[in-house]
Structure formats: C-alpha cells, structure tokens
Amino acid sequence: MNSVARSYFQLCKPRVVALIIFTAVVGMFLAVPGWPPLSALIAGTLGIGLAASSAAAINHLLDQRIDAVMARTRNRPLPSGQLSVTQVLTFALILAAISMTTLVIWVNALTAALTFLSLIGYAIIYTVWLKRATPQNIVIGGAAGAAPPVLGWTAATGMIDHNALILFLIIFVWTPPHFWALAIHRRRDYAAVDIPMLPVTHGVRFTRWHIFFYTILLVIVTTLPYLTGLSDLLYLAGVSVLNLGFLWYAMRMLNDSDETLPMRTFGYSIIYLMMLFTFLLADHWLQIILI
C-alpha cells in the first residue's frame, strides 16, 4: 500500500470501523432464525462500513486543530500534511454518498435513514458540539456509536425490535467506562486543547468512580439478552466471565495509581465487547442447531 492510500485508509479509523461492522453483522444474524438476506448481509455491511468510514474522515477534518497538538493524534494525515482539507472532505462525501445509495437501493430506507442519523450524530453533533460542551460528552454522544447492531437488525428485518434496543443499550453503557479509561491516560492532552473530558474537569478519582459505577450498570444490562430470551446459557456463562474481568479492572482502578492501568483497562474493554458479541452469535447458532 503506497503512502497516499495508507493515509486515506487511516482516515477511516479501520480498527474502530471493524468493530462497528462486526457488531452490525451480529445484529443481522440475531435478527433472523437463520442466515440474513444476502442483500442485507453484503450491501448492509458495505453501506454501514462506508458510513462509519465517512464519519471517521469527517471527525479527522473537524478535529485537525486539536489533533495537531495532542501526542496521540499529531501524526494523523491532516495535521502531518499528508492530505489536504479538500482531499479529506471529498473523500468523506464520496463515502457517504456511496453508503446512502447502497443502503437505499439494496437494503431499505429505514436502515439508510438511521445510518445517516448516526453519521451526523458522531461526525457533527458529537465532534462539533458535545465534545467541547460538556464532560458528559461521551455519555450523550455514545448513542451514535451504539447504533450499529440496530442498523444490522433493521437491514435484516426492516424494523426495530426491542432486542435490537437491548444491543444498543449494551454498547451505550459500555462506551463511558471504555472511553474514560483512555481519557484518564490522555487527560493532559485533552487539557492542553481545552476539551472538557471528565478527568480534566472533575479529576481522575471522580472519573475512576464513574468507571466503576458504569461497569456495575454494564453487568446488569448485559444480562438482559438472557432474561428476554434473545440468548441462552452459553452467552450467560461467557458474559459472566467477561463481566468479572471488567469489574476486576474497575475495582483496581479505584485504588491503584499505576499509570499503565487505564490503558490496560481500555484494551480489555475492546476485547470485552468483541467477545460479548461473539458469545451472542455463538449462542444464537447453538440454539438453531439444537432446535
């Protein structure tokens, strides 16, 4: 991959988009008793992935000033001069156009509309306003990031189900402890660019307690798929182990001043979400096999 192609690829935040696509695809499979419609699986995955990539590129564009200051982001394509504003904007708009066209023609209008709202929610509402307006930015803005399994569900069925909203709720509650762990580690960067992340405005200890409380809430919310019948014992056993791990990290965060612990917690939270949706999918297929 040449340097220009690599820069465009980096604009898409591929690791984040990969997780988005994975949770959307799991939503498709959970929505139906067997395989989702081929159009939903192929065109839906493509459309949702391109929309997420477009939102990521717009985020790069709108955050280029603070990205140039923060150590974690100063080597991104825009602040490092690898790409111009015009190139990034054109790229983002092309991705958005292809995404919406794909979803409208080959999936359904509901999925296209919800995907567009998610794109606007993250790329504009969160990045332009919420991120700079309140220490609860990641809590409110997390709604856009929690949408992918709902998008997958609507792609497969054309409707929103209460189980799709449970999947939404899981990611919505997971997002604050996931991101606040990173924010603690990067709090000096956020302070330098006047972004009011919780550890900047209320301190690290206050944020650690919030991570702990949200982790407890996450444990409760992640039992809902079992309680509503969306999943069975395989999922319950798997998520119970995952929750014990997350609680262990959250409890350690309360009293351990190890500067590496927030990033280890952040890393675990990513594995946690991937494995949780893997257990959901595995449990779903096990139920189909046993029927």
Coordinates of all heavy atoms in Angstrom, one line a residue, residues 200-242:
V200 N -10.5 15.8 33.2 CA -9.9 17.1 33.1 C -10.8 18.0 34.0 O -10.2 18.9 34.8 CB -9.9 17.6 31.7 CG1 -9.5 19.1 31.6 CG2 -9.0 16.8 30.8
T201 N -12.1 17.9 33.9 CA -13.0 18.8 34.6 C -13.2 18.4 36.1 O -13.5 19.3 36.9 CB -14.3 18.9 33.9 OG1 -14.9 17.6 33.9 CG2 -14.1 19.5 32.5
H202 N -13.2 17.1 36.4 CA -13.6 16.7 37.7 C -12.5 15.8 38.4 O -12.8 15.4 39.5 CB -14.9 15.8 37.6 CG -16.1 16.6 37.3 ND1 -16.4 17.2 36.1 CD2 -17.2 17.0 38.1 CE1 -17.5 17.8 36.1 NE2 -18.0 17.8 37.3
G203 N -11.5 15.6 37.7 CA -10.4 14.9 38.3 C -10.4 13.4 38.1 O -11.4 12.8 37.7
V204 N -9.2 12.8 38.3 CA -9.0 11.4 38.0 C -9.8 10.5 38.9 O -10.5 9.5 38.5 CB -7.5 11.0 38.0 CG1 -7.4 9.5 37.9 CG2 -6.8 11.7 36.9
R205 N -9.8 10.8 40.2 CA -10.5 9.9 41.2 C -12.0 9.9 40.9 O -12.7 8.9 40.9 CB -10.2 10.4 42.6 CG -10.9 9.4 43.6 CD -10.2 9.4 45.0 NE -10.7 8.5 45.9 CZ -10.5 7.2 45.9 NH1 -9.7 6.7 45.0 NH2 -11.1 6.4 46.8
F206 N -12.6 11.1 40.6 CA -14.0 11.2 40.3 C -14.3 10.3 39.1 O -15.3 9.6 39.0 CB -14.3 12.6 40.0 CG -15.8 12.9 39.8 CD1 -16.7 13.1 40.9 CD2 -16.3 13.0 38.5 CE1 -18.0 13.3 40.7 CE2 -17.7 13.2 38.3 CZ -18.5 13.4 39.4
T207 N -13.4 10.3 38.1 CA -13.6 9.6 36.9 C -13.5 8.1 37.1 O -14.3 7.3 36.6 CB -12.6 10.0 35.8 OG1 -12.7 11.4 35.6 CG2 -12.9 9.3 34.5
R208 N -12.6 7.7 38.0 CA -12.4 6.3 38.3 C -13.7 5.7 39.0 O -14.2 4.6 38.7 CB -11.3 6.1 39.3 CG -9.9 6.3 38.7 CD -8.8 6.2 39.7 NE -7.5 6.7 39.2 CZ -6.6 5.8 38.7 NH1 -6.8 4.5 38.7 NH2 -5.4 6.3 38.3
W209 N -14.4 6.5 39.8 CA -15.6 6.1 40.5 C -16.7 6.0 39.4 O -17.5 5.1 39.5 CB -16.0 7.0 41.6 CG -15.4 6.7 42.9 CD1 -14.3 7.3 43.5 CD2 -15.7 5.6 43.8 NE1 -14.0 6.7 44.6 CE2 -14.8 5.7 44.9 CE3 -16.7 4.6 43.7 CZ2 -14.9 4.7 45.9 CZ3 -16.7 3.7 44.8 CH2 -15.8 3.8 45.8
H210 N -16.7 6.9 38.5 CA -17.7 6.8 37.4 C -17.5 5.5 36.5 O -18.5 4.9 36.1 CB -17.7 8.0 36.5 CG -18.6 9.1 36.9 ND1 -18.4 9.7 38.2 CD2 -19.6 9.8 36.3 CE1 -19.4 10.7 38.3 NE2 -20.1 10.7 37.2
I211 N -16.3 5.2 36.3 CA -16.0 4.0 35.6 C -16.5 2.8 36.3 O -17.1 1.8 35.8 CB -14.5 3.8 35.3 CG1 -14.0 4.8 34.3 CG2 -14.1 2.4 34.8 CD1 -12.5 4.9 34.1
F212 N -16.3 2.8 37.6 CA -16.8 1.7 38.5 C -18.3 1.6 38.5 O -18.9 0.5 38.3 CB -16.3 1.9 39.9 CG -16.7 0.8 40.9 CD1 -16.3 -0.5 40.8 CD2 -17.6 1.1 41.9 CE1 -16.7 -1.5 41.7 CE2 -18.1 0.2 42.8 CZ -17.6 -1.1 42.7
F213 N -19.0 2.7 38.6 CA -20.5 2.7 38.6 C -21.0 2.2 37.3 O -22.0 1.5 37.2 CB -21.0 4.0 39.0 CG -20.8 4.4 40.5 CD1 -20.4 5.7 40.8 CD2 -20.9 3.5 41.5 CE1 -20.2 6.0 42.2 CE2 -20.7 3.8 42.8 CZ -20.3 5.0 43.2
Y214 N -20.4 2.7 36.2 CA -20.9 2.3 34.9 C -20.6 0.9 34.6 O -21.4 0.2 33.9 CB -20.3 3.2 33.8 CG -21.2 4.4 33.4 CD1 -21.0 5.6 34.1 CD2 -22.1 4.3 32.4 CE1 -21.8 6.7 33.8 CE2 -22.9 5.4 32.1 CZ -22.8 6.6 32.8 OH -23.6 7.6 32.5
T215 N -19.6 0.3 35.2 CA -19.3 -1.1 35.0 C -20.3 -1.9 35.7 O -20.7 -3.0 35.2 CB -17.8 -1.4 35.5 OG1 -16.9 -0.6 34.8 CG2 -17.5 -2.9 35.2
I216 N -20.7 -1.5 36.9 CA -21.8 -2.3 37.6 C -23.1 -2.2 36.7 O -23.8 -3.2 36.6 CB -22.0 -1.6 39.0 CG1 -20.8 -1.9 39.9 CG2 -23.3 -2.2 39.6 CD1 -20.9 -1.2 41.2
L217 N -23.4 -1.0 36.2 CA -24.6 -0.9 35.3 C -24.4 -1.8 34.1 O -25.4 -2.4 33.7 CB -24.8 0.5 34.9 CG -26.0 0.9 34.1 CD1 -27.3 0.5 34.8 CD2 -26.0 2.4 33.7
L218 N -23.2 -1.9 33.6 CA -23.0 -2.7 32.4 C -23.2 -4.2 32.7 O -23.8 -4.9 31.9 CB -21.5 -2.5 31.9 CG -21.1 -3.3 30.6 CD1 -22.0 -2.8 29.4 CD2 -19.6 -3.1 30.4
V219 N -22.8 -4.6 33.9 CA -23.1 -6.0 34.3 C -24.6 -6.3 34.3 O -25.0 -7.4 33.9 CB -22.5 -6.3 35.7 CG1 -22.9 -7.6 36.2 CG2 -20.9 -6.2 35.7
I220 N -25.4 -5.4 34.8 CA -26.8 -5.5 34.8 C -27.4 -5.6 33.4 O -28.2 -6.5 33.1 CB -27.5 -4.4 35.7 CG1 -27.0 -4.5 37.1 CG2 -29.0 -4.5 35.6 CD1 -27.4 -3.3 37.9
V221 N -27.0 -4.6 32.6 CA -27.5 -4.5 31.3 C -27.2 -5.7 30.4 O -28.0 -6.2 29.6 CB -27.0 -3.2 30.6 CG1 -27.3 -3.2 29.1 CG2 -27.7 -2.0 31.3
T222 N -26.0 -6.3 30.6 CA -25.6 -7.4 29.7 C -26.3 -8.7 30.1 O -26.1 -9.7 29.4 CB -24.0 -7.6 29.8 OG1 -23.6 -7.7 31.2 CG2 -23.3 -6.4 29.1
T223 N -27.0 -8.7 31.2 CA -27.8 -9.9 31.5 C -29.2 -9.9 30.7 O -29.9 -10.9 30.7 CB -28.1 -10.1 33.0 OG1 -28.9 -8.9 33.4 CG2 -26.8 -10.1 33.8
L224 N -29.5 -8.7 30.2 CA -30.8 -8.6 29.5 C -31.0 -9.6 28.3 O -32.1 -10.1 28.2 CB -31.1 -7.2 29.1 CG -31.3 -6.1 30.2 CD1 -31.4 -4.7 29.6 CD2 -32.5 -6.5 31.0
P225 N -30.0 -9.8 27.5 CA -30.3 -10.8 26.4 C -30.7 -12.1 26.9 O -31.6 -12.8 26.3 CB -28.9 -10.8 25.7 CG -28.3 -9.5 25.9 CD -28.7 -9.1 27.3
Y226 N -30.2 -12.6 28.0 CA -30.6 -13.9 28.6 C -32.0 -13.8 29.2 O -32.8 -14.7 29.0 CB -29.6 -14.3 29.7 CG -30.0 -15.6 30.4 CD1 -29.9 -16.8 29.8 CD2 -30.5 -15.5 31.7 CE1 -30.3 -18.0 30.4 CE2 -30.9 -16.6 32.4 CZ -30.8 -17.9 31.7 OH -31.2 -19.0 32.4
L227 N -32.3 -12.7 29.9 CA -33.5 -12.5 30.6 C -34.7 -12.4 29.6 O -35.8 -12.8 29.9 CB -33.5 -11.3 31.5 CG -32.5 -11.4 32.7 CD1 -32.5 -10.1 33.5 CD2 -32.9 -12.6 33.6
T228 N -34.4 -11.8 28.4 CA -35.5 -11.6 27.4 C -35.6 -12.8 26.5 O -36.5 -12.8 25.6 CB -35.3 -10.4 26.6 OG1 -34.0 -10.5 25.9 CG2 -35.3 -9.1 27.5
G229 N -34.7 -13.8 26.6 CA -34.7 -14.9 25.7 C -34.0 -14.7 24.4 O -34.0 -15.6 23.5
L230 N -33.3 -13.6 24.2 CA -32.5 -13.4 23.0 C -31.4 -14.4 23.0 O -30.9 -14.8 21.9 CB -32.0 -12.0 22.9 CG -31.1 -11.6 21.8 CD1 -31.8 -11.8 20.4 CD2 -30.5 -10.2 21.9
S231 N -30.8 -14.7 24.1 CA -29.7 -15.6 24.2 C -30.0 -16.7 25.3 O -30.9 -16.6 26.1 CB -28.4 -14.9 24.5 OG -28.5 -14.2 25.8
D232 N -29.0 -17.6 25.4 CA -29.2 -18.7 26.4 C -28.0 -18.9 27.3 O -27.2 -17.9 27.4 CB -29.6 -20.0 25.7 CG -30.5 -20.9 26.5 OD1 -30.4 -20.9 27.7 OD2 -31.3 -21.6 25.9
L233 N -27.8 -20.1 27.8 CA -26.8 -20.3 28.8 C -25.3 -20.1 28.3 O -24.5 -19.6 29.1 CB -26.9 -21.7 29.4 CG -28.2 -21.9 30.2 CD1 -28.2 -23.4 30.6 CD2 -28.2 -21.0 31.4
L234 N -25.0 -20.4 27.0 CA -23.7 -20.1 26.5 C -23.3 -18.7 26.7 O -22.2 -18.3 27.1 CB -23.6 -20.6 25.1 CG -22.2 -20.3 24.4 CD1 -21.1 -21.0 25.1 CD2 -22.2 -20.7 22.9
Y235 N -24.2 -17.8 26.2 CA -23.9 -16.4 26.3 C -23.8 -15.9 27.8 O -22.9 -15.2 28.2 CB -25.1 -15.5 25.7 CG -25.0 -14.1 26.0 CD1 -24.1 -13.2 25.5 CD2 -25.9 -13.6 27.0 CE1 -24.0 -11.9 25.9 CE2 -25.8 -12.2 27.4 CZ -24.9 -11.4 26.8 OH -24.8 -10.1 27.2
L236 N -24.8 -16.4 28.6 CA -24.7 -16.0 30.0 C -23.4 -16.4 30.7 O -22.9 -15.6 31.5 CB -25.9 -16.7 30.8 CG -26.1 -16.3 32.3 CD1 -26.4 -14.8 32.4 CD2 -27.2 -17.1 32.9
A237 N -22.9 -17.6 30.4 CA -21.7 -18.1 31.0 C -20.5 -17.2 30.5 O -19.7 -16.7 31.3 CB -21.4 -19.5 30.7
G238 N -20.5 -17.0 29.2 CA -19.4 -16.2 28.6 C -19.4 -14.7 29.1 O -18.3 -14.2 29.5
V239 N -20.6 -14.1 29.2 CA -20.6 -12.7 29.6 C -20.3 -12.6 31.1 O -19.8 -11.5 31.5 CB -22.0 -12.0 29.2 CG1 -23.1 -12.4 30.2 CG2 -21.8 -10.5 29.1
S240 N -20.7 -13.6 31.8 CA -20.4 -13.5 33.3 C -18.9 -13.5 33.5 O -18.4 -12.7 34.4 CB -21.0 -14.8 34.0 OG -22.4 -14.7 33.9
V241 N -18.1 -14.3 32.8 CA -16.7 -14.3 32.9 C -16.1 -12.9 32.4 O -15.2 -12.3 33.1 CB -16.0 -15.4 32.1 CG1 -14.5 -15.3 32.0 CG2 -16.5 -16.8 32.6
L242 N -16.6 -12.4 31.3 CA -16.2 -11.1 30.8 C -16.5 -10.0 31.9 O -15.7 -9.1 32.1 CB -16.9 -10.8 29.5 CG -16.5 -11.6 28.3 CD1 -17.4 -11.3 27.1 CD2 -15.1 -11.4 27.9

